[in-house]
Amino acid sequence: MKQYQFKFHSEIIGFTSPDISKVRREIDKRVEKEKTDAIKRDIELHMYENIEGIPRLVSTCYLYDGHGSLIHGSINETKRYLTETWRYHKNRSHSKTRPSTSCGQEYCQT
């Protein structure tokens, strides 16, 4: 099983799917029904980490900016961005909790 999984989500309509085309279809249905384009680009990418087979949301990012352009240029770049920022965050938080491996103050020169 993969360590990370990605799903697309629209907060306004409350719909999530690993397939972006399904999310877009559901948004299009709502746009047609309510005659509003305001929700057209309301799609987030959620990144889940599998911990013992249980997915846990670890990071999220909007796909589109206010002008309707992909924020990171492509979905793959957004996935890469989320993965790298999560790894950075995870490594940083682990380094804060680990005991220091540097030399003791009495032996260090300043």
Side-chain angles (χ1 to χ4, degrees), residues 76-87:
N76 284 336
E77 287 299 317
T78 305
K79 287 180 180 180
R80 188 173 295 121
Y81 167 80
L82 283 175
T83 304
E84 292 304 315
T85 55
W86 175 245
R87 285 182 182 149

Side-chain angles (χ1 to χ4, degrees), residues 27-77:
I27 288 173
D28 288 343
K29 287 179 191 177
R30 182 67 70 92
V31 167
E32 186 66 30
K33 182 179 177 183
E34 297 181 8
K35 305 293 186 214
T36 178
D37 284 338
I39 63 172
K40 198 101 171 141
R41 300 285 184 215
D42 176 53
I43 302 176
E44 300 172 27
L45 184 62
H46 288 189
M47 185 174 107
Y48 295 87
E49 182 179 30
N50 281 321
I51 301 173
E52 298 177 5
I54 301 169
R56 181 176 71 96
L57 181 66
V58 294
S59 193
T60 184
C61 180
Y62 281 103
L63 284 181
Y64 299 100
D65 62 15
H67 304 289
S69 301
L70 283 165
I71 291 175
H72 295 101
S74 72
I75 292 171
N76 284 336
E77 287 299 317

Side-chain angles (χ1 to χ4, degrees), residues 93-104:
S93 64
H94 282 295
S95 67
K96 288 182 180 178
T97 58
R98 284 187 289 196
S100 175
T101 57
S102 61
C103 61

